Amino acid sequence: MRTWNDLYKMLKNGEMDQSLIQTGCEDINAYRTRATEVMNGFEKTFGVKEDTLAALCSAPGRTEICGNHTDHQHGHVLAAAVNLDFLACVSPNGTQTVHFQSEGWPMTTVDLSDLEQQEAEKETTASLVRGVMAELAKAGYTIGGFDMYAVSNVLPGSGLSSSAACEILLGVAGNHLFCQDELDAVTLAKIGQKAENQYFGKPSGLMDQTASSVGDAVAIDFADPSAPIVRSVTANLEELGLALCIVDCGADHAALTGEYASIPREMEKVAAFFGKKVLREVQEEEVLKAMPQLRRAVGDRAVLRALHFYADDRRAVEEADALERRDRDAFLQLVKESGRSSWELLQNITPAGAVEAQDMAIALEAAEIALNGKGACRVHGGGFAGTIQAFVPTESVSEFCEKMELMLRKGCCHVLNIRPTGGIVL
């Protein structure tokens, strides 16, 4: 770790440009300016002495490429880090208190002398800070307080998982300050997930944190969630002549908790019919043979959602293989199949009973029209609201975005890159 003054000089002089390139930024000058503003924000917020030690840390958002609602059933997923991130300047402060200042938000202060879960902190940034630091302490490291000034351009409510990026940012910083960078990317992902599950109070799989922590594309097998098998996949979309577009459908996730919770609940009802906990433990053939009894016992939607699981679980592996062998046609076909399965079987496009407001369905149909038979599109992430994903031929990106913004609204279409690295100290 360097002094804040030395780090600032290196940043301004361009000596850190090679490190900054690892973030997948398209404009190195713009990213250098952003990093400089973060350091200035730190100085203004916390003050800087001649011997103040500091580091710059970055953690990316992520995009789910395939495996829609398969992770919580211990299946396969394919995800990737994107070139939008949480960027922070961090410095140890010699106390047992963390001061976390996210630009534009109130200061978060956490006393680390008590690392137990705090009910009053549920669903707050403070819970993530306490949870991550508690896991580092449980791993046997001596932790301490720090000051952090952070900014994020991970689109809120976009399905790009700003929460996972925040967790990985905290893990990367803690690993650097107190663990001599000994913890690997998958371990940091598990720490982030525990913080989110136990401290924040949100039941989630490990896909988001793993994609953010590892970087590039990752094919993950969650057969044993405590020890997921992670395969790095090079996702060179540019080489395939494709661009990744994330389109905001215009609806938010408010009041949709029940819709999201119904998916794992119904899938687990099917598993329970066979005396199992999750669908990964049940053979698809068993479901097909027992379908008449299953329909009576758990209902048709639960059966359809189970069938989606088996199909998308296979597709996640096949898409990873298609990317590895640079098979554009196979990749796009699988994306289309995943999208149709999510709409028809998983049914996470329109909230139950919604008639007048069907934002995601409109966005998907608009994307099909804009693509005009080229590329592919699908739901992105949890569904029901938020964003859709489109893989667009590079020569058609401008036209695609123009058409989408004409049919939906200005600024709805975002062109992203796959980021080659996960959470890092720059």
PDB file of all heavy atoms in Angstrom, residues 5 8 23 46 61 65 69 83 172 176 197 217 246 249 256 271 314 328 345-346 361 364 372-373 380 397 413:
ATOM      1  N   ASN A   5      -0.701  10.464  -1.029  1.00  0.00           N
ATOM      2  CA  ASN A   5      -0.035  11.446  -1.902  1.00  0.00           C
ATOM      3  C   ASN A   5       0.669  10.773  -3.074  1.00  0.00           C
ATOM      4  O   ASN A   5       0.574  11.220  -4.220  1.00  0.00           O
ATOM      5  CB  ASN A   5       0.964  12.281  -1.095  1.00  0.00           C
ATOM      6  CG  ASN A   5       0.267  13.254  -0.165  1.00  0.00           C
ATOM      7  OD1 ASN A   5      -0.759  13.824  -0.505  1.00  0.00           O
ATOM      8  ND2 ASN A   5       0.830  13.451   1.023  1.00  0.00           N
ATOM      9  N   TYR A   8      -1.907   9.329  -5.523  1.00  0.00           N
ATOM     10  CA  TYR A   8      -2.552  10.400  -6.276  1.00  0.00           C
ATOM     11  C   TYR A   8      -1.633  10.887  -7.409  1.00  0.00           C
ATOM     12  O   TYR A   8      -2.083  11.092  -8.545  1.00  0.00           O
ATOM     13  CB  TYR A   8      -2.879  11.559  -5.330  1.00  0.00           C
ATOM     14  CG  TYR A   8      -3.738  12.630  -5.950  1.00  0.00           C
ATOM     15  CD1 TYR A   8      -5.122  12.455  -6.071  1.00  0.00           C
ATOM     16  CD2 TYR A   8      -3.181  13.828  -6.409  1.00  0.00           C
ATOM     17  CE1 TYR A   8      -5.924  13.447  -6.641  1.00  0.00           C
ATOM     18  CE2 TYR A   8      -3.979  14.817  -6.978  1.00  0.00           C
ATOM     19  CZ  TYR A   8      -5.341  14.621  -7.082  1.00  0.00           C
ATOM     20  OH  TYR A   8      -6.127  15.592  -7.645  1.00  0.00           O
ATOM     21  N   THR A  23      -9.995  -2.764 -15.725  1.00  0.00           N
ATOM     22  CA  THR A  23     -11.417  -2.602 -15.437  1.00  0.00           C
ATOM     23  C   THR A  23     -12.282  -2.741 -16.683  1.00  0.00           C
ATOM     24  O   THR A  23     -13.510  -2.714 -16.583  1.00  0.00           O
ATOM     25  CB  THR A  23     -11.687  -1.222 -14.814  1.00  0.00           C
ATOM     26  OG1 THR A  23     -11.372  -0.194 -15.770  1.00  0.00           O
ATOM     27  CG2 THR A  23     -10.851  -1.021 -13.558  1.00  0.00           C
ATOM     28  N   PHE A  46     -12.509  12.791   4.487  1.00  0.00           N
ATOM     29  CA  PHE A  46     -11.794  12.245   5.638  1.00  0.00           C
ATOM     30  C   PHE A  46     -10.516  13.002   5.992  1.00  0.00           C
ATOM     31  O   PHE A  46      -9.979  12.839   7.089  1.00  0.00           O
ATOM     32  CB  PHE A  46     -11.441  10.773   5.389  1.00  0.00           C
ATOM     33  CG  PHE A  46     -12.640   9.903   5.132  1.00  0.00           C
ATOM     34  CD1 PHE A  46     -12.866   9.356   3.878  1.00  0.00           C
ATOM     35  CD2 PHE A  46     -13.550   9.638   6.151  1.00  0.00           C
ATOM     36  CE1 PHE A  46     -13.966   8.555   3.633  1.00  0.00           C
ATOM     37  CE2 PHE A  46     -14.665   8.837   5.918  1.00  0.00           C
ATOM     38  CZ  PHE A  46     -14.871   8.289   4.660  1.00  0.00           C
ATOM     39  N   GLY A  61     -20.110  -4.841 -11.685  1.00  0.00           N
ATOM     40  CA  GLY A  61     -21.424  -5.450 -11.744  1.00  0.00           C
ATOM     41  C   GLY A  61     -21.337  -6.704 -12.585  1.00  0.00           C
ATOM     42  O   GLY A  61     -20.276  -7.039 -13.131  1.00  0.00           O
ATOM     43  N   ILE A  65     -25.827 -14.556 -18.186  1.00  0.00           N
ATOM     44  CA  ILE A  65     -25.932 -14.895 -19.603  1.00  0.00           C
ATOM     45  C   ILE A  65     -26.867 -16.085 -19.813  1.00  0.00           C
ATOM     46  O   ILE A  65     -27.649 -16.127 -20.758  1.00  0.00           O
ATOM     47  CB  ILE A  65     -24.532 -15.173 -20.201  1.00  0.00           C
ATOM     48  CG1 ILE A  65     -23.639 -13.925 -20.041  1.00  0.00           C
ATOM     49  CG2 ILE A  65     -24.637 -15.576 -21.668  1.00  0.00           C
ATOM     50  CD1 ILE A  65     -22.216 -14.121 -20.501  1.00  0.00           C
ATOM     51  N   HIS A  69     -32.707 -18.485 -12.884  1.00  0.00           N
ATOM     52  CA  HIS A  69     -33.268 -19.118 -11.687  1.00  0.00           C
ATOM     53  C   HIS A  69     -32.882 -20.594 -11.592  1.00  0.00           C
ATOM     54  O   HIS A  69     -33.698 -21.441 -11.217  1.00  0.00           O
ATOM     55  CB  HIS A  69     -34.789 -18.959 -11.646  1.00  0.00           C
ATOM     56  CG  HIS A  69     -35.221 -17.577 -11.252  1.00  0.00           C
ATOM     57  ND1 HIS A  69     -35.255 -17.161  -9.939  1.00  0.00           N
ATOM     58  CD2 HIS A  69     -35.617 -16.522 -11.999  1.00  0.00           C
ATOM     59  CE1 HIS A  69     -35.676 -15.904  -9.894  1.00  0.00           C
ATOM     60  NE2 HIS A  69     -35.885 -15.481 -11.133  1.00  0.00           N
ATOM     61  N   ASN A  83     -18.297  -3.898 -17.509  1.00  0.00           N
ATOM     62  CA  ASN A  83     -17.420  -2.745 -17.317  1.00  0.00           C
ATOM     63  C   ASN A  83     -18.128  -1.568 -16.648  1.00  0.00           C
ATOM     64  O   ASN A  83     -17.901  -0.409 -16.989  1.00  0.00           O
ATOM     65  CB  ASN A  83     -16.808  -2.305 -18.648  1.00  0.00           C
ATOM     66  CG  ASN A  83     -17.850  -1.874 -19.662  1.00  0.00           C
ATOM     67  OD1 ASN A  83     -18.949  -2.413 -19.709  1.00  0.00           O
ATOM     68  ND2 ASN A  83     -17.503  -0.891 -20.488  1.00  0.00           N
ATOM     69  N   VAL A 172     -12.658  -7.171  -1.165  1.00  0.00           N
ATOM     70  CA  VAL A 172     -11.339  -6.883  -1.755  1.00  0.00           C
ATOM     71  C   VAL A 172     -10.566  -5.920  -0.863  1.00  0.00           C
ATOM     72  O   VAL A 172      -9.364  -6.108  -0.611  1.00  0.00           O
ATOM     73  CB  VAL A 172     -11.503  -6.297  -3.174  1.00  0.00           C
ATOM     74  CG1 VAL A 172     -10.198  -5.689  -3.672  1.00  0.00           C
ATOM     75  CG2 VAL A 172     -11.971  -7.380  -4.130  1.00  0.00           C
ATOM     76  N   HIS A 176      -7.190  -6.845   1.312  1.00  0.00           N
ATOM     77  CA  HIS A 176      -5.945  -6.109   1.091  1.00  0.00           C
ATOM     78  C   HIS A 176      -5.428  -5.470   2.386  1.00  0.00           C
ATOM     79  O   HIS A 176      -4.230  -5.524   2.678  1.00  0.00           O
ATOM     80  CB  HIS A 176      -6.174  -5.027   0.036  1.00  0.00           C
ATOM     81  CG  HIS A 176      -4.933  -4.323  -0.400  1.00  0.00           C
ATOM     82  ND1 HIS A 176      -3.894  -4.962  -1.037  1.00  0.00           N
ATOM     83  CD2 HIS A 176      -4.551  -3.006  -0.286  1.00  0.00           C
ATOM     84  CE1 HIS A 176      -2.925  -4.084  -1.308  1.00  0.00           C
ATOM     85  NE2 HIS A 176      -3.303  -2.903  -0.869  1.00  0.00           N
ATOM     86  N   ASN A 197     -26.898 -12.875   2.750  1.00  0.00           N
ATOM     87  CA  ASN A 197     -27.916 -13.794   3.269  1.00  0.00           C
ATOM     88  C   ASN A 197     -28.203 -13.573   4.740  1.00  0.00           C
ATOM     89  O   ASN A 197     -29.370 -13.459   5.158  1.00  0.00           O
ATOM     90  CB  ASN A 197     -27.479 -15.240   3.071  1.00  0.00           C
ATOM     91  CG  ASN A 197     -27.457 -15.681   1.619  1.00  0.00           C
ATOM     92  OD1 ASN A 197     -27.025 -16.774   1.296  1.00  0.00           O
ATOM     93  ND2 ASN A 197     -27.900 -14.822   0.713  1.00  0.00           N
ATOM     94  N   ALA A 217     -16.096 -14.208 -18.049  1.00  0.00           N
ATOM     95  CA  ALA A 217     -17.278 -15.059 -17.918  1.00  0.00           C
ATOM     96  C   ALA A 217     -16.925 -16.241 -17.030  1.00  0.00           C
ATOM     97  O   ALA A 217     -15.773 -16.710 -17.025  1.00  0.00           O
ATOM     98  CB  ALA A 217     -17.756 -15.539 -19.282  1.00  0.00           C
ATOM     99  N   ILE A 246     -27.974  -3.898 -22.551  1.00  0.00           N
ATOM    100  CA  ILE A 246     -28.910  -4.046 -21.452  1.00  0.00           C
ATOM    101  C   ILE A 246     -29.971  -2.951 -21.610  1.00  0.00           C
ATOM    102  O   ILE A 246     -29.633  -1.771 -21.712  1.00  0.00           O
ATOM    103  CB  ILE A 246     -28.211  -3.919 -20.087  1.00  0.00           C
ATOM    104  CG1 ILE A 246     -27.174  -5.036 -19.922  1.00  0.00           C
ATOM    105  CG2 ILE A 246     -29.219  -3.952 -18.946  1.00  0.00           C
ATOM    106  CD1 ILE A 246     -27.743  -6.433 -19.875  1.00  0.00           C
ATOM    107  N   CYS A 249     -36.517  -1.792 -18.968  1.00  0.00           N
ATOM    108  CA  CYS A 249     -37.896  -1.920 -19.461  1.00  0.00           C
ATOM    109  C   CYS A 249     -38.822  -0.866 -18.863  1.00  0.00           C
ATOM    110  O   CYS A 249     -39.973  -0.725 -19.298  1.00  0.00           O
ATOM    111  CB  CYS A 249     -38.434  -3.317 -19.189  1.00  0.00           C
ATOM    112  SG  CYS A 249     -38.875  -3.634 -17.479  1.00  0.00           S
ATOM    113  N   LEU A 256     -42.465  -6.685  -5.545  1.00  0.00           N
ATOM    114  CA  LEU A 256     -42.383  -7.927  -6.317  1.00  0.00           C
ATOM    115  C   LEU A 256     -41.708  -9.063  -5.553  1.00  0.00           C
ATOM    116  O   LEU A 256     -41.422 -10.118  -6.134  1.00  0.00           O
ATOM    117  CB  LEU A 256     -41.630  -7.675  -7.636  1.00  0.00           C
ATOM    118  CG  LEU A 256     -42.369  -6.823  -8.671  1.00  0.00           C
ATOM    119  CD1 LEU A 256     -41.460  -6.526  -9.849  1.00  0.00           C
ATOM    120  CD2 LEU A 256     -43.640  -7.519  -9.141  1.00  0.00           C
ATOM    121  N   ALA A 271     -39.563 -30.694  -5.954  1.00  0.00           N
ATOM    122  CA  ALA A 271     -38.522 -31.538  -5.371  1.00  0.00           C
ATOM    123  C   ALA A 271     -39.048 -32.286  -4.146  1.00  0.00           C
ATOM    124  O   ALA A 271     -38.758 -33.479  -3.951  1.00  0.00           O
ATOM    125  CB  ALA A 271     -37.309 -30.683  -4.998  1.00  0.00           C
ATOM    126  N   ARG A 314     -29.182 -27.308 -18.595  1.00  0.00           N
ATOM    127  CA  ARG A 314     -28.376 -27.852 -19.695  1.00  0.00           C
ATOM    128  C   ARG A 314     -27.829 -26.740 -20.576  1.00  0.00           C
ATOM    129  O   ARG A 314     -26.665 -26.763 -20.984  1.00  0.00           O
ATOM    130  CB  ARG A 314     -29.221 -28.816 -20.545  1.00  0.00           C
ATOM    131  CG  ARG A 314     -29.545 -30.136 -19.890  1.00  0.00           C
ATOM    132  CD  ARG A 314     -30.163 -31.100 -20.898  1.00  0.00           C
ATOM    133  NE  ARG A 314     -31.467 -30.636 -21.367  1.00  0.00           N
ATOM    134  CZ  ARG A 314     -32.623 -30.939 -20.792  1.00  0.00           C
ATOM    135  NH1 ARG A 314     -32.652 -31.681 -19.707  1.00  0.00           N
ATOM    136  NH2 ARG A 314     -33.770 -30.497 -21.297  1.00  0.00           N
ATOM    137  N   ARG A 328     -20.713 -18.694 -32.790  1.00  0.00           N
ATOM    138  CA  ARG A 328     -21.695 -17.618 -32.681  1.00  0.00           C
ATOM    139  C   ARG A 328     -23.123 -18.115 -32.888  1.00  0.00           C
ATOM    140  O   ARG A 328     -24.024 -17.777 -32.123  1.00  0.00           O
ATOM    141  CB  ARG A 328     -21.357 -16.513 -33.683  1.00  0.00           C
ATOM    142  CG  ARG A 328     -22.455 -15.472 -33.876  1.00  0.00           C
ATOM    143  CD  ARG A 328     -21.993 -14.381 -34.808  1.00  0.00           C
ATOM    144  NE  ARG A 328     -23.130 -13.641 -35.390  1.00  0.00           N
ATOM    145  CZ  ARG A 328     -23.100 -12.373 -35.711  1.00  0.00           C
ATOM    146  NH1 ARG A 328     -22.004 -11.670 -35.518  1.00  0.00           N
ATOM    147  NH2 ARG A 328     -24.145 -11.791 -36.260  1.00  0.00           N
ATOM    148  N   LEU A 345     -42.220 -21.046 -19.749  1.00  0.00           N
ATOM    149  CA  LEU A 345     -42.218 -22.040 -18.674  1.00  0.00           C
ATOM    150  C   LEU A 345     -41.977 -21.422 -17.300  1.00  0.00           C
ATOM    151  O   LEU A 345     -42.754 -21.642 -16.365  1.00  0.00           O
ATOM    152  CB  LEU A 345     -41.165 -23.119 -18.952  1.00  0.00           C
ATOM    153  CG  LEU A 345     -41.290 -23.865 -20.287  1.00  0.00           C
ATOM    154  CD1 LEU A 345     -40.215 -24.939 -20.399  1.00  0.00           C
ATOM    155  CD2 LEU A 345     -42.665 -24.485 -20.436  1.00  0.00           C
ATOM    156  N   LEU A 346     -40.897 -20.651 -17.185  1.00  0.00           N
ATOM    157  CA  LEU A 346     -40.590 -20.025 -15.896  1.00  0.00           C
ATOM    158  C   LEU A 346     -41.618 -18.942 -15.557  1.00  0.00           C
ATOM    159  O   LEU A 346     -41.939 -18.707 -14.395  1.00  0.00           O
ATOM    160  CB  LEU A 346     -39.178 -19.433 -15.924  1.00  0.00           C
ATOM    161  CG  LEU A 346     -38.637 -18.860 -14.615  1.00  0.00           C
ATOM    162  CD1 LEU A 346     -38.572 -19.941 -13.533  1.00  0.00           C
ATOM    163  CD2 LEU A 346     -37.273 -18.237 -14.825  1.00  0.00           C
ATOM    164  N   ALA A 361     -42.556  -7.532 -21.079  1.00  0.00           N
ATOM    165  CA  ALA A 361     -43.046  -8.180 -22.297  1.00  0.00           C
ATOM    166  C   ALA A 361     -42.960  -7.226 -23.484  1.00  0.00           C
ATOM    167  O   ALA A 361     -42.560  -7.614 -24.594  1.00  0.00           O
ATOM    168  CB  ALA A 361     -44.486  -8.654 -22.087  1.00  0.00           C
ATOM    169  N   LEU A 364     -39.281  -6.899 -24.529  1.00  0.00           N
ATOM    170  CA  LEU A 364     -38.801  -8.068 -25.272  1.00  0.00           C
ATOM    171  C   LEU A 364     -39.327  -8.069 -26.704  1.00  0.00           C
ATOM    172  O   LEU A 364     -38.590  -8.370 -27.647  1.00  0.00           O
ATOM    173  CB  LEU A 364     -39.222  -9.349 -24.549  1.00  0.00           C
ATOM    174  CG  LEU A 364     -38.419  -9.692 -23.288  1.00  0.00           C
ATOM    175  CD1 LEU A 364     -39.117 -10.779 -22.482  1.00  0.00           C
ATOM    176  CD2 LEU A 364     -36.999 -10.128 -23.652  1.00  0.00           C
ATOM    177  N   ASN A 372     -34.731  -7.713 -35.782  1.00  0.00           N
ATOM    178  CA  ASN A 372     -35.133  -8.102 -37.138  1.00  0.00           C
ATOM    179  C   ASN A 372     -34.474  -9.414 -37.580  1.00  0.00           C
ATOM    180  O   ASN A 372     -33.916  -9.532 -38.679  1.00  0.00           O
ATOM    181  CB  ASN A 372     -34.790  -6.980 -38.127  1.00  0.00           C
ATOM    182  CG  ASN A 372     -35.459  -7.178 -39.480  1.00  0.00           C
ATOM    183  OD1 ASN A 372     -36.516  -7.798 -39.573  1.00  0.00           O
ATOM    184  ND2 ASN A 372     -34.833  -6.669 -40.538  1.00  0.00           N
ATOM    185  N   GLY A 373     -34.529 -10.406 -36.678  1.00  0.00           N
ATOM    186  CA  GLY A 373     -33.997 -11.722 -37.020  1.00  0.00           C
ATOM    187  C   GLY A 373     -32.508 -11.891 -36.802  1.00  0.00           C
ATOM    188  O   GLY A 373     -31.966 -12.986 -37.008  1.00  0.00           O
ATOM    189  N   HIS A 380     -33.392 -10.565 -18.319  1.00  0.00           N
ATOM    190  CA  HIS A 380     -32.113 -10.437 -17.627  1.00  0.00           C
ATOM    191  C   HIS A 380     -32.341 -10.535 -16.131  1.00  0.00           C
ATOM    192  O   HIS A 380     -33.102  -9.757 -15.561  1.00  0.00           O
ATOM    193  CB  HIS A 380     -31.457  -9.094 -17.963  1.00  0.00           C
ATOM    194  CG  HIS A 380     -30.087  -8.931 -17.387  1.00  0.00           C
ATOM    195  ND1 HIS A 380     -29.749  -7.893 -16.554  1.00  0.00           N
ATOM    196  CD2 HIS A 380     -28.982  -9.697 -17.511  1.00  0.00           C
ATOM    197  CE1 HIS A 380     -28.477  -8.025 -16.205  1.00  0.00           C
ATOM    198  NE2 HIS A 380     -28.002  -9.109 -16.770  1.00  0.00           N
ATOM    199  N   VAL A 397     -25.590  -2.041 -33.763  1.00  0.00           N
ATOM    200  CA  VAL A 397     -25.814  -1.546 -32.402  1.00  0.00           C
ATOM    201  C   VAL A 397     -26.494  -0.180 -32.388  1.00  0.00           C
ATOM    202  O   VAL A 397     -27.472   0.042 -31.666  1.00  0.00           O
ATOM    203  CB  VAL A 397     -24.482  -1.499 -31.614  1.00  0.00           C
ATOM    204  CG1 VAL A 397     -24.674  -0.772 -30.287  1.00  0.00           C
ATOM    205  CG2 VAL A 397     -23.967  -2.893 -31.372  1.00  0.00           C
ATOM    206  N   CYS A 413     -31.339   2.172 -23.427  1.00  0.00           N
ATOM    207  CA  CYS A 413     -30.435   1.148 -23.966  1.00  0.00           C
ATOM    208  C   CYS A 413     -28.990   1.439 -23.577  1.00  0.00           C
ATOM    209  O   CYS A 413     -28.471   2.537 -23.822  1.00  0.00           O
ATOM    210  CB  CYS A 413     -30.573   1.107 -25.491  1.00  0.00           C
ATOM    211  SG  CYS A 413     -29.782  -0.320 -26.251  1.00  0.00           S
TER     212      CYS A 413
END
